Amino acid sequence: MFLKDLFNLLADSDIEIKRAVDKCLADFLKEIKDSEYHFDDYAPSTLMSILVEICADNQKDRKLCRSVALEWISDFLSMYFTQRSSAKFQFSDNGDQKYKLFGTTDTEMKLYSKFEFSDFDFKCIESNFGELLEVNFLCLNDMEEDIRNLTQGCNDLLLRLVEEGMTPSDIVKDMIRRLLQRGESDRNKKAVLKWIEMFLNSYSDEMVTFMDDVFAKLSKKLADPNSELVDLTLQILGRMSVYKDYFHRIIERLLQEFCDDRELLINRGNSIFKKLCLVLDPKQVFEMSARALILYTDSNFVSDMVQTLDILLLTEGDLYDLRCMLKESKFSDKNTGIKFFETLQEAWIYNPISTITLSLLAQQYELSFVVIQIFSEVEIQKEHLVQLGRLVLLLESPVFAYLRLQMLDHQNHPFLLKSLYGILMLLPLSKSYYSLRSRLRALANVDFSDNNVSIHKYNKKVRKPKQHVDLEAIASRFEHVHKEDNLWIRRNRLEQDIRPDRTSTMFLKTQEPEVD
């Protein structure tokens, strides 16, 4: 066990002894790398075990011991990586490892290995992959920065070696098991995620049995304050969504995180769902979210969540195709768009302004007017006026350019102007009010009785709706939801003898429209 004793001497208080031992170890490592040392009396697996043991000893006075041991591990991994880059490893049924160079015969391979492969048995590295992985994460959390930097290099090399997809299945499973069982720190969270991502991409068969544990580990990271870690987590969850039932579970878990932590929803809800729509099918994300939200009993949370999704749908450039699907849903030969609209509105109903917005986007103008009428009969809350003001701003955006032109075609869109005037009447005297009023006043000189004003005369024939929604059913459900909500408010006033703070959490981050 002379090697372990040599490493222990690196912790000696005598500087001269440290220098002498350091030089001795450097010469020994050079012999190994130059294939001049024979391991007949010293098993390579024992050597790797010693190095791992030394790295795991994180006492402050043993910093040099860890540093030199990490350098040895790094060199061995580099040598192994070089050999594996030039040769193809094959594994027989009994797990024995064989080297096979591309395009060579067995005889040529023996000659090649005599000159190119050192006497060091690289199988010992693979047999210690699990221990190397654990010591990597331990040293990534070391108090010394130079130790962490050395470990990061070892970790990257080990990751690349395993990523090549030639590591035996039993070793991979052992590594995955160790990865999931260990704790984490702020310094190694990203490394853990990188390993999970690699295993999913390169060893999907081995990962199947660990999917529930992986999902549980990833779910806890959705609320991490580090946005980079959340983005990486969502990327991995997107990769997991191809497995049975995990798409649905990902959406449910994310919504539950937002329900439990409203600050997370306020501060990062939009960005998280934006990222999720990039790594998953956005249509399925919205549909699955809508179906899951209607099962929640907390109407305030559902309203806030719907508002987040609604703003994302209207403002995110990558969701252009979804907006087009909704805009054309009424006139499409296929019912895909109208089914998508109906799925969304079941959840959107819990937020009246989002319901109006969705109806305007889908050109369901009669529905928007009916919703406005019903909405005017219940007590309008402060946050609703703020959302109305935001809606007016959105109506001035390129997303609703088609709607502004349809204002000229009153004959074919009679409920559009009624809806806009209804919004105007609900707004207090504010910037949003005067903005919408100015837009409507621009139509003052248009003679709507003149058929020649129809823009369709110069463009194309008037399209007849091919898909229809159950207007009465939607209106009835909307009325029921919001009358129940107002009843809840009145009951709480009587019980508390004060006006309860029913202002949604989303409103807390929003400024009230200014009054001119």
Side-chain angles (χ1 to χ4, degrees), residues 168-400:
S169 178
D170 58 334
I171 294 177
V172 170
K173 288 182 178 179
D174 177 59
M175 295 181 75
I176 296 172
R177 193 175 293 108
R178 290 171 184 266
L179 181 69
L180 295 175
Q181 289 175 350
R182 68 164 290 103
E184 295 178 34
S185 68
D186 291 337
R187 293 190 181 102
N188 62 29
K189 284 180 181 178
K190 185 176 180 181
V192 170
L193 288 175
K194 286 292 185 182
W195 274 97
I196 292 176
E197 182 181 33
M198 183 278 294
F199 282 131
L200 276 170
N201 292 332
S202 302
Y203 296 92
S204 55
D205 292 340
E206 286 81 359
M207 280 290 282
V208 169
T209 55
F210 299 97
M211 291 298 279
D212 286 343
D213 293 331
V214 171
F215 182 75
K217 197 174 189 72
L218 292 175
S219 298
K220 297 175 183 177
K221 300 183 187 302
L222 292 172
D224 196 283
N226 188 328
S227 59
E228 184 183 1
L229 290 179
V230 174
D231 287 349
L232 185 54
T233 300
L234 290 172
Q235 186 173 321
I236 299 171
L237 288 173
R239 178 70 179 81
M240 288 180 64
S241 68
V242 300
Y243 294 90
K244 183 181 179 181
D245 296 333
Y246 276 97
F247 195 114
H248 182 67
R249 291 177 64 182
I250 289 168
I251 298 297
E252 284 187 337
R253 181 69 188 195
L254 190 57
L255 292 176
Q256 190 58 52
E257 287 289 337
F258 286 141
C259 185
D260 295 339
D261 186 352
R262 299 301 174 85
E263 285 297 316
L264 179 66
L265 174 59
I266 295 169
N267 297 323
R268 297 168 64 186
N270 188 283
S271 61
I272 287 176
F273 262 92
K274 177 181 176 180
K275 179 68 176 181
L276 197 64
C277 287
L278 291 177
V279 299
L280 300 176
D281 179 4
K283 180 174 179 290
Q284 290 188 41
V285 169
F286 274 81
E287 286 180 329
M288 200 79 73
S289 299
R291 292 192 183 105
L293 282 171
I294 61 176
L295 302 178
Y296 280 82
T297 57
D298 186 346
S299 59
N300 268 355
F301 164 67
V302 178
S303 176
D304 290 348
M305 193 67 244
V306 164
Q307 185 183 347
T308 298
L309 293 171
D310 189 56
I311 292 173
L312 183 67
L313 178 63
L314 291 171
T315 58
E316 180 53 40
D318 292 321
L319 300 181
Y320 172 79
D321 290 339
L322 286 189
R323 292 195 292 271
C324 286
M325 180 188 295
L326 287 168
K327 189 175 75 171
E328 297 299 317
S329 60
K330 189 176 179 180
F331 307 100
S332 176
D333 292 325
K334 299 179 180 179
N335 65 355
T336 306
I338 205 69
K339 291 292 184 185
F340 182 48
F341 170 80
E342 290 173 343
T343 300
L344 293 187
Q345 64 83 22
E346 286 186 14
W348 261 238
I349 274 179
Y350 286 89
N351 187 300
I353 311 306
S354 294
T355 304
I356 297 169
T357 305
L358 183 65
S359 301
L360 293 175
L361 180 63
Q363 302 191 60
Q364 298 286 348
Y365 301 133
E366 185 175 2
L367 176 60
S368 66
F369 180 61
V370 170
V371 167
I372 290 169
Q373 285 183 307
I374 297 173
F375 181 52
S376 66
E377 295 173 1
V378 299
E379 185 173 356
I380 299 176
Q381 303 298 312
K382 191 176 182 181
E383 70 269 20
H384 294 147
L385 298 178
V386 175
Q387 291 179 51
L388 270 178
R390 186 185 296 112
L391 171 57
V392 171
L393 293 177
L394 287 170
L395 291 176
E396 297 297 322
S397 70
V399 172
F400 285 104

Side-chain angles (χ1 to χ4, degrees), residues 1-18:
M1 302 296 288
F2 75 94
L3 185 64
K4 185 176 181 180
D5 294 333
L6 278 176
F7 271 98
N8 287 335
L9 285 173
L10 289 173
D12 196 278
S13 58
D14 192 311
I15 295 185
E16 292 302 322
I17 292 178
K18 286 184 178 181

